[in-house]
Amino acid sequence: MSAAFGAGRLSGKIVLITGGAGNIGEVITRRCIEAGATVVITGRNPTKLDSYVAQVRADLGLDAGRFEGLVMDGSDPAAVRNGVAQIIARHGRIDVLVNNAGSAGARRRLPEIPLDRESLGGETETLDDGIGNLVGIAWNLTRAVAPHMPPGGSIIDISTIFSRTDYYGRIPYVVPKAALNALSLGLAGELGAHGIRVNLICPGPIDSDRIRTVFQRMDDLKGQAAGSTADGFFSIMRLHRTDGDGALAPGFPKTLDVASAVLFLASDDSAALSGATIEVTNGMAVPVESRTTLNSRPGLRAVDGSGRVTLICAGDQIEDVMALTGLLRFCRGEVVIGLRSHSAIAQMEQMLEDSRRFGGAGYVPPIILYLDPLEPESVTEALTWISEQVGGPHGAVILPASGTQPRAGLVDLSDAEAQAFLQNELAGAVAMASHLARFWQERRVAAAEAFPPRVVFCSNADDGAGNRYADLLRAGVEQLIRVWRHEAALDHARLPADDSPARPLPPVWANQVLRYHTTDEESLEFACAWAAQLLYSSHKFEEINLYLPHNIVAATGAQRPSFGWAESLIGLHLGKTALITGGSAGIGGQVGRLLAISGARVLLAARDHHKLEQIRNTIVHELCEIGYSEPERRVQVMDGCDVASEQDLVELVDRAIAVFGRVDYLINNAGIAGVEEMVIDMPPAGWRHTLQANLISNYSLIRKIAPLMKAQGSGYILNVSSYFGGEKYVAIAYPNRADYAVSKAGQRAMAEVLARFMGPEVQINALAPGPVEGDRLRGTGERPGLFMRRARLILENKRLNDLHGALIESLRIGAAIEPLLELLATNQVAAIAADPARRRCKCWPGAFAPRTIRPPRRAVS
């Protein structure tokens, strides 16, 4: 042994290398030994391992204490802990851990990935096997080794640059490697406090016959010319290196390049590095993550899910599923819910039953099915049922397998919990995607029904514990989506031209909505609205990961992501101004509210200060939620305004011009109910007051504002009339509302007459609503409602008519009427009607008997 061995960069360090006899592993092993380390390598095959150890010892002249092999299955946590215990018993510590062991994973397209032993079809690994070998081994080793690693220790995870690139037919390999990337970064965060460094190496395509064979197989799978895959990767390499002839050319990195990076990270030369990624790729230009932040409110104005069925695949996130279902149905889509457990189904059914009771007879609950991605039969049955019964699914929302992730750290997690996470979450996501990809690949539909399948993976909310597991799943799903898109597009492009009625579906498009970066209460509703946008619109984000803003309100300027039916109004009347009389409640208040939501600035006029402030505060709050700037200035009020007063109308117009500078919309809505007396009893002063408030005020405001509208080139006037004013040729007879009816008919007639002379700049119309639900119709504690007042008035007049008839009848038969007149003179009509004894009085024969009595010319008052 040369002196250089003991004086190297790793002199005195104990280095554990998994997969140390493999293609890259053997070069790493020799470099570490040459740098002075005591090296232990692991492997599953005892014969191969013993042979390799003997060869290296012979080549380098090593004794057994400097280099040894340990038979160990890294995917078995118990075997790992036993193996690590043996190393600690012999060496006392482990200074460096190189997580290099792994496997190739199944070389299959997403729809063909073997999910169980029965579907291997020539492959050697199921999806579960590959995940266990490619990320499970590194995680198992780290959990077992970290407690025995001194400060200054170094953990080095070997991933691949293909964990962040398209890699056709290799999802079982690159998805676990992508998860390893996030795992490595998360471990760096946890172990840094203990003085332990964790770093990642992403090798590119390593120069070897093996990689050339892999790329040739990809070319064949994609139906592309030989060398296409390799050329694609060469095209994004920044660095050219000298080839065997000394010429500069693009080429693959070497195994020695990777080993040198490992040596650097294992040595004290990298003492300040943790959480770093070294890309050994000849400078391949590959983004670290495909991401953007959803800094705008997801407008649902043009989102239409009509005719589309969406499958929601979830675990136990009942609240999330309910919110998603409600919003997707609001967008006119249909939903089928697939849950992974029967207990979750029972809980969901109870919530839907509660919703049905509250929703009334018209509420139709969505279908719930049992669907576990790791049980292929359950998924096949569910997709078949959906296809046959409701004609879908046309898209899917996939949630994590569980709404709650482990609270323990990545290092402290139990072996069983780690295995469960990888299987249920990571394997479950890939398995669900595989089922959907196979279903849509085999589906044939009419051209008019060929909706491009859309998939949205949606994370859980912030877990309050650093979201380590959410980020691990995020990285795996990101790579799943990247390769799924790539495979789907290439496969679709290779399909032969097909003019048959039943055609294959367009390629799938998927994204991932990530909620865990925000703690805002609005995150669920915001995520649901974006899911609807992604599923039901033509909007496509090239970026895969779509993060919700950390502060949704600050980033979007809106406090709510969706505003229901009001969504279609937002911005329609930007730049316009409106003057609305009677704007404190009812029709006027709601017209003002909707115009403000639509972007107009509004001036609400009414008499009641308190009610005006109430409606103004409500509108301003909604404008804040939408995100309009300066919402307080957009809504003005003028209280104490009596439209029956000409002086008040003058002041109102002056106020509107002073505040807004113009009036685009005049809404003549204010009015009074009228005297509410029978026609024959109505005093002329009452007639005049009603006409002044309801009709003449309209003309006065039109006369003041219409010239301004003509001058500015546009304007719109609306007289809010009433069906009491009659249709154009049909009057509605209301004996106690004659003054009101005449004023309302006048509003309609005024609009018809003035329309001939005010155009084209100014439009004028009249609106004649029927009874409108509200305090005026229902009544309040201070005053009965409209119909109740009418009923009382009619009843009073009916009693008066009956009394008048009784008097006439008494006179006709010669009965004394003086007692009755005395009671009437003292206004005791109600007492007479309520007293049976008086009703039987001889002077009042049959006063309340059912009969037809001719009404008097004038009722007795």
Side-chain angles (χ1 to χ4, degrees):
M1 183 178 70
S2 71
F5 289 167
R9 297 163 72 185
L10 301 184
S11 180
K13 293 185 182 291
I14 310 299
V15 178
L16 172 60
I17 305 171
T18 64
N23 293 331
I24 297 177
E26 66 171 345
V27 182
I28 295 172
T29 297
R30 287 178 178 268
R31 289 285 282 149
C32 288
I33 293 172
E34 291 169 353
T38 295
V39 176
V40 180
I41 65 171
T42 67
R44 294 176 179 173
N45 187 321
T47 302
K48 179 180 177 182
L49 186 65
D50 290 343
S51 174
Y52 178 73
V53 170
Q55 178 184 341
V56 173
R57 285 176 178 170
D59 291 346
L60 301 179
L62 302 174
D63 58 41
R66 281 289 311 282
F67 180 52
E68 61 187 89
L70 178 66
V71 177
M72 184 179 73
D73 180 359
S75 65
D76 180 353
V80 169
R81 295 187 183 279
N82 181 58
V84 169
Q86 294 179 46
I87 298 171
I88 298 303
R90 285 198 292 271
H91 300 286
R93 70 184 192 281
I94 298 172
D95 298 297
V96 178
L97 168 63
V98 181
N99 283 313
N100 174 68
S103 63
R107 295 174 174 84
R108 295 291 182 88
R109 296 164 51 252
L110 179 60
E112 302 159 354
I113 291 175
L115 303 179
D116 50 33
R117 297 291 169 192
E118 290 72 26
S119 59
L120 280 172
E123 296 289 342
T124 58
E125 291 180 304
T126 64
L127 174 64
D128 254 355
D129 295 336
I131 290 175
N133 290 331
L134 290 160
V135 66
I137 290 177
W139 200 359
N140 290 340
L141 264 294
T142 301
R143 294 199 313 279
V145 168
H148 306 287
M149 191 170 271
S154 176
I155 298 175
I156 304 163
D157 296 319
I158 309 297
S159 182
T160 173
I161 199 64
F162 301 128
S163 62
R164 297 177 358 223
T165 70
D166 300 333
Y167 212 44
Y168 189 95
R170 299 301 303 277
I171 282 176
Y173 174 69
V174 295
V175 167
K177 285 293 191 181
L180 176 62
N181 299 348
L183 175 66
S184 183
L185 188 60
L187 288 168
E190 290 189 11
L191 292 174
H194 301 282
I196 298 172
R197 297 179 286 117
V198 184
N199 292 289
L200 183 74
I201 294 176
C202 285
I206 299 303
D207 191 9
S208 63
D209 292 337
R210 177 177 170 273
I211 198 63
R212 292 181 179 86
T213 301
V214 168
F215 285 172
Q216 183 58 57
R217 176 177 169 82
M218 283 189 184
D219 292 336
D220 295 340
L221 285 171
K222 292 186 286 188
Q224 295 181 341
S228 297
T229 301
D231 289 342
F233 289 119
F234 285 146
S235 69
I236 59 174
M237 288 182 182
R238 301 182 181 94
L239 179 64
H240 289 194
R241 298 169 71 176
T242 54
D243 59 17
D245 299 326
L248 284 172
F252 299 126
K254 315 295 184 183
T255 52
L256 185 59
D257 298 326
V258 180
S260 297
V262 170
L263 186 61
F264 168 67
L265 291 174
S267 73
D268 293 338
D269 294 342
S270 62
L273 290 186
S274 190
T277 299
I278 296 180
E279 299 175 8
V280 185
T281 64
N282 285 345
M284 287 173 63
V286 178
V288 174
E289 182 181 353
S290 174
R291 64 172 292 166
T292 190
T293 302
L294 300 171
N295 284 324
S296 63
R297 191 175 57 79
L300 301 181
R301 187 169 171 179
V303 174
D304 185 3
S306 299
R308 302 197 192 190
V309 178
T310 299
L311 169 65
I312 299 176
C313 179
D316 54 0
Q317 305 94 329
I318 305 302
E319 180 183 353
D320 295 10
V321 172
M322 290 289 287
L324 269 167
T325 300
L327 202 140
L328 295 180
R329 283 184 146 194
F330 167 77
C331 294
R332 294 163 294 279
E334 193 44 79
V335 171
V336 176
I337 301 170
L339 298 179
R340 290 172 167 90
S341 73
H342 294 289
S343 61
I345 290 176
Q347 187 179 353
M348 175 64 75
E349 287 177 339
Q350 181 59 54
M351 289 194 71
L352 291 175
E353 175 61 23
D354 294 341
S355 298
R356 187 192 64 78
R357 287 199 298 269
F358 289 119
Y363 177 77
V364 179
I367 300 298
I368 308 174
L369 304 174
Y370 175 71
L371 186 157
D372 185 346
L374 298 178
E375 294 180 16
E377 298 82 5
S378 72
V379 183
T380 300
E381 290 177 6
L383 293 178
T384 301
W385 187 94
I386 296 170
S387 176
E388 293 176 351
Q389 300 299 321
V390 293
H394 305 99
V397 179
I398 302 174
L399 277 65
S402 174
T404 56
Q405 298 300 343
R407 305 298 294 179
L410 296 167
V411 177
D412 298 328
L413 196 67
S414 71
D415 296 336
E417 286 179 304
Q419 286 185 308
F421 177 84
L422 292 178
Q423 182 180 54
N424 296 330
E425 298 294 356
L426 196 58
V430 177
M432 191 64 226
S434 179
H435 292 302
L436 290 170
R438 186 181 313 114
F439 173 80
W440 285 324
Q441 174 183 271
E442 297 170 354
R443 190 170 173 80
R444 295 295 183 270
V445 297
E449 301 174 4
F451 300 120
R454 292 291 188 96
V455 178
V456 177
F457 290 84
C458 192
S459 80
N460 291 326
D462 174 43
D463 66 8
N467 301 298
R468 305 175 185 89
Y469 300 94
D471 202 54
L472 197 156
L473 182 59
R474 181 275 310 162
V477 170
E478 176 188 349
Q479 185 60 6
L480 166 63
I481 292 173
R482 179 180 288 112
V483 182
W484 190 0
R485 285 184 187 177
H486 178 62
E487 290 183 356
L490 284 175
D491 292 346
H492 189 267
R494 292 169 56 196
L495 292 173
D498 188 356
D499 295 329
S500 62
R503 300 180 183 181
L505 292 171
V508 71
W509 191 261
N511 290 97
Q512 180 171 205
V513 175
L514 298 163
R515 297 173 52 201
Y516 58 83
H517 273 222
T518 178
T519 56
D520 284 3
E521 294 181 359
E522 297 82 6
S523 72
L524 176 57
E525 188 181 358
F526 202 81
C528 291
W530 269 112
Q533 171 79 257
L534 294 166
L535 289 167
Y536 295 152
S537 77
S538 58
H539 197 146
K540 277 187 178 182
F541 279 96
E542 289 291 337
E543 297 88 354
I544 295 171
N545 295 334
L546 309 179
Y547 286 86
L548 268 60
H550 178 69
N551 187 321
I552 293 175
V553 175
T556 65
Q559 296 179 2
R560 290 169 55 196
S562 172
F563 296 88
W565 55 267
E567 189 78 34
S568 61
L569 300 179
I570 297 172
L572 281 181
H573 296 284
L574 277 173
K576 301 297 185 181
T577 64
L579 169 57
I580 304 167
T581 63
S584 61
I587 294 174
Q590 289 304 309
V591 169
R593 169 179 169 258
L594 297 182
L595 282 173
I597 288 173
S598 303
R601 292 174 295 164
V602 299
L603 171 57
L604 306 176
R607 288 174 292 183
D608 192 310
H609 170 79
H610 179 67
K611 288 183 177 179
L612 274 174
E613 284 301 316
Q614 277 189 325
I615 190 69
R616 180 180 185 273
N617 291 338
T618 298
I619 297 172
V620 167
H621 177 71
E622 288 191 272
L623 299 187
C624 288
E625 289 186 329
I626 293 171
Y628 282 116
S629 62
E630 299 181 308
E632 294 84 2
R633 296 181 61 183
R634 305 185 73 87
V635 186
Q636 301 291 325
V637 296
M638 180 173 171
D639 58 18
C641 181
D642 181 358
V643 291
S645 165
E646 177 61 22
Q647 182 58 38
D648 285 1
L649 298 181
V650 170
E651 293 177 3
L652 176 59
V653 173
D654 289 344
R655 173 74 185 280
I657 299 302
V659 172
F660 296 141
R662 60 186 287 151
V663 175
D664 294 291
Y665 308 138
L666 170 61
I667 313 297
N668 283 315
N669 172 72
I672 60 175
V675 179
E676 296 192 13
E677 289 283 358
M678 305 302 281
V679 176
I680 198 168
D681 293 325
M682 192 175 296
W687 273 89
R688 285 192 291 270
H689 184 65
T690 302
L691 291 176
Q692 179 68 38
N694 293 359
L695 179 60
I696 298 173
S697 66
N698 288 195
Y699 175 73
S700 178
L701 286 173
I702 292 171
R703 190 168 183 271
K704 294 174 176 61
I705 291 176
L708 303 177
M709 291 179 169
K710 293 277 284 185
Q712 68 196 24
S714 65
Y716 184 85
I717 299 171
L718 177 67
N719 290 346
V720 180
S721 178
S722 168
Y723 87 125
F724 281 109
E727 299 296 333
K728 190 170 183 179
Y729 301 108
V730 181
I732 298 177
Y734 264 71
N736 64 318
R737 305 296 303 281
D739 57 337
Y740 181 80
V742 168
S743 69
K744 292 297 171 179
Q747 285 183 293
R748 173 181 53 75
M750 182 190 300
E752 292 175 359
V753 171
L754 294 182
R756 297 174 177 269
F757 307 106
M758 299 179 68
E761 297 89 353
V762 181
Q763 293 177 282
I764 181 169
N765 288 289
L767 177 71
V772 177
E773 178 66 22
D775 288 347
R776 180 172 291 184
L777 193 65
R778 289 193 306 266
T780 63
E782 300 173 357
R783 190 184 189 199
L786 175 65
F787 291 153
M788 178 60 73
R789 298 199 306 273
R790 173 173 175 253
R792 288 181 178 179
L793 183 62
I794 291 174
L795 180 58
E796 289 170 1
N797 279 275
K798 181 178 183 301
R799 288 172 174 170
L800 290 173
N801 288 341
D802 287 344
L803 288 170
H804 183 269
L807 288 169
I808 299 299
E809 181 69 14
S810 297
L811 288 172
R812 188 181 65 81
I813 63 176
I817 63 172
E818 287 76 9
L820 183 57
L821 292 174
E822 181 180 345
L823 289 170
L824 288 173
T826 56
N827 199 25
Q828 298 186 50
V829 175
I832 298 171
D835 188 342
R838 286 173 174 161
R839 290 172 58 181
R840 291 192 296 271
C841 173
K842 290 183 180 179
C843 70
W844 196 359
F848 285 88
R851 57 164 64 187
T852 301
I853 303 175
R854 182 180 178 184
R857 187 182 67 82
R858 178 174 175 80
V860 178
S861 60

